[in-house]
Amino acid sequence: MAQFSSISIVLISCSFLTIIQRTQSQLALNYYNSTCPQFPLIMQQVITDKQLSAPATAAGVLRLFLHDCLVDGCDASVLITSNAFHKSERDADVNLPLPGDAFDLVTRAKTALELQCPGVVSCSDIISVATRNLLVMVGGPHYKVLLGRKDSIVSDASHVQGNIPTTNLSLSQIIDVFGSKGLSVQEMVALVGGHTIGFAHCKEFADRIFNFSKTSQSDPAMNPQYADRLRKLCENYTKQPEMSAFIDVFTPGKFDNMYYKNLKHGLGLLQTDQDIAVDGRTKPFVDLYAANETAFFQAFANAMEKLGVYNLKQGNDGEVRHRCHEFTNLNAHQVAKDRYLGDL
């Protein structure tokens, strides 16, 4: 019986790997070579123009990519706007702060591509390529982006909770979030390194710098001078909720390993940042990436490639939208409406 169980496990594992390989085999680096040969040039032109005019675009698009892919896979579901019948992912609380520049870049790219090759390039492929190219522009690693994704025909705000790490989660919960996507602890630590070009609103770390305890105004784990400057920056954050701070205080516009170096000197902005710097499960990788930028870049690139093909939509499970913020398949609208009416 034990032998039978072992054989069954092996067969199941092999079947699972076969499914993954079959899914990825439907994608290709040159997927649009014949159907939209201008795709790379159009994308790069739009990306370059946007990043030069709005330098925070790279961080915003990376965040958009992660918020999209971590919920039901990389399928552009986060781009769909809500309607009277249905609340989409975009309007889930955790997605409300997603920056407008990220959505604007996708809209610009899609508009340009529709003029050149209508109905060919998916919005999910646009997000994936834009993320990679923008990261390279700000100093990050180049990695392969397989193309041929379909856009989802479902976007439901109820799918978001529990699938995107937030600052109120414990480290164990965050590890579980990434683990549910097949990502290891090391891959999670590498992806969190994307904070090197990100920013956070003051409300996300206010509890670390204001009235932390009866004996300390700020978290003792935080560099005192750093905490003091953050208090001055965020002193009116309750009246000005848009107030924010760069997560990497030294090189916020450059993709590098400074984020990890900062953590080792009490310069972690978010509680979750501080946690990965001291927890035994994650600290070895923080130490490694702080000391070796090449190791960080390799791990980050590998994790992005892996996440980029998570739970892809193929065939009738997806579509190629004409406009990224709305479904092209009218059946998707009807499903949302029927679900709404059924809840009344």
Side-chain angles (χ1 to χ4, degrees), residues 109-160:
K110 183 61 172 174
T111 300
L113 289 165
E114 284 295 298
L115 291 173
Q116 182 71 28
C117 38
V120 173
V121 180
S122 68
C123 301
S124 47
D125 276 346
I126 289 173
I127 297 174
S128 297
V129 171
T131 302
R132 191 271 312 278
N133 289 13
L134 282 163
L135 291 177
V136 171
M137 279 190 68
V138 295
H142 185 280
Y143 53 90
K144 296 178 181 178
V145 176
L146 293 170
L147 302 170
R149 297 166 184 77
K150 291 290 185 69
D151 300 323
S152 70
I153 53 175
V154 175
S155 179
D156 194 324
S158 67
H159 294 186
V160 176

Side-chain angles (χ1 to χ4, degrees), residues 86-102:
H86 189 65
K87 184 177 179 180
S88 68
E89 287 179 28
R90 186 169 178 171
D91 286 321
D93 289 345
V94 71
N95 285 333
L96 293 177
L98 288 173
D101 281 326

Side-chain angles (χ1 to χ4, degrees), residues 2-310:
Q3 183 178 4
F4 175 77
S5 298
S6 299
I7 293 174
S8 299
I9 292 172
V10 171
L11 290 176
I12 291 171
S13 299
C14 290
S15 299
F16 180 67
L17 289 173
T18 300
I19 292 171
I20 293 177
Q21 291 168 353
R22 187 182 299 124
T23 300
Q24 294 189 20
S25 68
Q26 298 174 23
L27 305 179
L29 294 173
N30 60 352
Y31 186 84
Y32 295 113
N33 274 16
S34 59
T35 56
C36 192
Q38 296 301 309
F39 170 69
L41 293 177
I42 292 173
M43 284 295 300
Q44 192 56 41
Q45 184 63 58
V46 172
I47 288 166
T48 301
D49 291 345
K50 181 63 181 179
Q51 178 64 20
L52 291 177
S53 64
T57 298
V61 172
L62 173 58
R63 189 174 181 185
L64 184 70
F65 171 86
L66 293 173
H67 280 229
D68 181 45
C69 294
L70 289 172
V71 180
D72 298 333
C74 301
D75 56 12
S77 53
V78 74
L79 301 179
I80 295 294
T81 53
S82 300
N83 56 39
F85 307 106
H86 189 65
K87 184 177 179 180
S88 68
E89 287 179 28
R90 186 169 178 171
D91 286 321
D93 289 345
V94 71
N95 285 333
L96 293 177
L98 288 173
D101 281 326
F103 291 100
D104 179 61
L105 181 140
V106 175
T107 299
R108 292 187 186 196
K110 183 61 172 174
T111 300
L113 289 165
E114 284 295 298
L115 291 173
Q116 182 71 28
C117 38
V120 173
V121 180
S122 68
C123 301
S124 47
D125 276 346
I126 289 173
I127 297 174
S128 297
V129 171
T131 302
R132 191 271 312 278
N133 289 13
L134 282 163
L135 291 177
V136 171
M137 279 190 68
V138 295
H142 185 280
Y143 53 90
K144 296 178 181 178
V145 176
L146 293 170
L147 302 170
R149 297 166 184 77
K150 291 290 185 69
D151 300 323
S152 70
I153 53 175
V154 175
S155 179
D156 194 324
S158 67
H159 294 186
V160 176
Q161 187 173 2
N163 283 304
I164 294 178
T166 55
T167 54
N168 63 340
L169 295 182
S170 68
L171 181 58
S172 293
Q173 290 173 315
I174 293 175
I175 289 173
D176 288 342
V177 168
F178 283 92
S180 68
K181 321 302 174 188
L183 296 165
S184 67
V185 172
Q186 181 172 9
E187 289 166 334
M188 181 273 288
V189 175
L191 288 175
V192 171
H195 281 174
T196 189
I197 56 169
F199 64 88
H201 290 94
C202 292
K203 66 178 181 179
E204 297 182 68
F205 55 87
D207 58 346
R208 297 193 70 207
I209 60 175
F210 294 114
N211 304 314
F212 181 78
S213 70
K214 293 182 179 180
T215 59
S216 177
Q217 177 80 316
S218 60
D219 184 347
M222 185 178 281
N223 180 289
Q225 291 182 329
Y226 181 49
D228 183 58
R229 292 181 181 181
L230 289 172
R231 274 194 298 275
K232 293 178 181 177
L233 172 69
C234 298
E235 59 183 352
N236 294 320
Y237 83 95
T238 56
K239 297 179 181 178
Q240 298 175 295
E242 73 279 2
M243 291 298 297
S244 60
F246 290 117
I247 300 177
D248 174 0
V249 67
F250 288 114
T251 57
K254 182 182 179 183
F255 195 95
D256 54 22
N257 68 336
M258 185 60 72
Y259 164 77
Y260 299 104
K261 294 180 179 180
N262 291 341
L263 296 184
K264 295 173 66 63
H265 294 93
L267 298 174
L269 185 65
L270 305 172
Q271 183 62 55
T272 49
D273 295 328
Q274 184 61 39
D275 290 343
I276 69 167
V278 297
D279 190 280
R281 295 166 293 181
T282 52
K283 184 179 184 298
F285 303 120
V286 171
D287 293 343
L288 171 63
Y289 300 150
N292 189 331
E293 186 174 79
T294 299
F296 164 48
F297 277 18
Q298 290 175 341
F300 181 85
N302 291 338
M304 289 292 282
E305 287 185 18
K306 186 174 180 178
L307 180 58
V309 295
Y310 166 68

